[in-house]
Amino acid sequence: MCEPATIVIKAHPQAVKQVRDFVGLVFGGWGLDDHVARIVVSELATNAIKHGSGEGDSVIVRAYRLDGLPVLETWDRSDALPVVREPGPAAESGRGLLLMETLVLRWGTRPLAEGGKVVYAVLDPVAV
């Protein structure tokens, strides 16, 4: 595993653009297209901000490669796990994880010893 590139953001919706730009720089440095990575990290960061953190909390976003595969992570303070939903046609939200699931090789969660969780997504380097 290479040393993770890390950014710490405040839990605020406006920080999602900052995270997308960060991932664009990291993937560009790796010589990988960042289109899929920007979509995936937007979903991860939005969920961490919306469901995993309180106002003013920090969210950690990391990008690294493990066995040649790009990995994106968000760390937040909530123990609540993300849930993939099947929203109805009139729903205005709830499709993000469903979409993300189709774009990545795999994703999941793991608890943090100090409380909270990491949500990670492993991307296909050919698809990014």
Side-chain angles (χ1 to χ4, degrees):
M1 177 171 99
C2 67
E3 186 67 28
T6 304
I7 187 171
V8 180
I9 58 167
K10 288 292 181 192
H12 193 277
Q14 293 170 334
V16 176
K17 181 189 180 315
Q18 183 181 2
V19 170
R20 281 192 303 266
D21 293 345
F22 162 76
V23 165
L25 289 172
V26 172
F27 274 60
W30 292 340
L32 297 175
D33 182 75
D34 64 356
H35 183 73
V36 170
R38 285 176 180 260
I39 294 168
V40 170
V41 82
S42 291
E43 177 60 20
L44 294 176
T46 298
N47 281 351
I49 290 166
K50 189 173 182 180
H51 304 293
S53 303
E55 187 68 33
D57 282 346
S58 294
V59 172
I60 298 170
V61 178
R62 297 187 342 154
Y64 58 92
R65 295 204 288 194
L66 182 63
D67 298 328
L69 298 175
V71 180
L72 298 171
E73 295 181 342
T74 55
W75 298 30
D76 65 55
R77 294 180 176 265
S78 174
D79 294 325
L81 300 178
V83 177
V84 177
R85 293 185 265 159
E86 294 281 341
E92 294 183 9
S93 65
R95 293 178 181 83
L97 286 175
L98 195 58
L99 171 65
M100 186 190 78
E101 209 169 48
T102 67
L103 297 173
V104 301
L105 292 174
R106 64 184 174 279
W107 72 277
T109 64
R110 66 178 187 273
L112 292 168
E114 64 274 13
K117 67 180 171 305
V118 175
V119 180
Y120 65 88
V122 180
L123 285 70
D124 182 348
V126 176
V128 294

